[in-house]
Amino acid sequence: MVVVADPRVRSTVTRHLWALGVRDVIEASSIAEARPRVSNPRDICVADVHLPDGSGLSLLSETRAAGWPNGLALSAADDIGAVRNALAGGVKGYVVTGTRNNLGAMPTRHGAAPIGAAAARMHRRPGGGPGGPGHPGGQRELSGREVEVLRLVAEGQSNKAIGVSMGLSALTVKSHLARIARKLGTGDRAGMVAVALRTGIIH
């Protein structure tokens, strides 16, 4: 189900899902339109954070409680606080679409990923499982340096910026992220941050 007020953005999201082979897509432009369908769980709900009649995060919370395995939040604004709140609240992905006039913009900042890629990961692993984003295994294995790298990732910093901040090369940062990915069971930056926030590795 795709819940987005802007018809252009809604159409773009639906096209991305079609490109992944998904054919049964319900569209809604508001919480009021979407709510009657919440009781019939589907694989994923993609909702704009700012809907005309309320917060898309609240709707995603409702779908999660109703048994929907995946939730993806969309926003035109790159707001680190909103990203953290969404991931801490159980949303599995957060896509920053850019301005309403630039629908193709999908900047790869913290919590953001191209809609197709984010939805594809969820489509392949709808239930998570051991080693998935909801699994805390491995959190005690993170070194202090790895935790610091993860904290800077949560702040939206690039590998290069993290390297400058910590006095490391970008290649070393990449190596740290690879080890963190193995320990947390996800190679996705947003997924790493989600696990870290939920399990208290970072705050």
Side-chain angles (χ1 to χ4, degrees), residues 40-66:
N40 296 310
R42 288 174 169 250
D43 289 332
I44 183 173
C45 179
V46 181
D48 196 334
V49 171
H50 303 291
L51 291 168
D53 53 352
S55 168
L57 294 180
S58 296
L59 177 65
L60 290 172
S61 178
E62 289 181 34
T63 59
R64 199 162 53 253

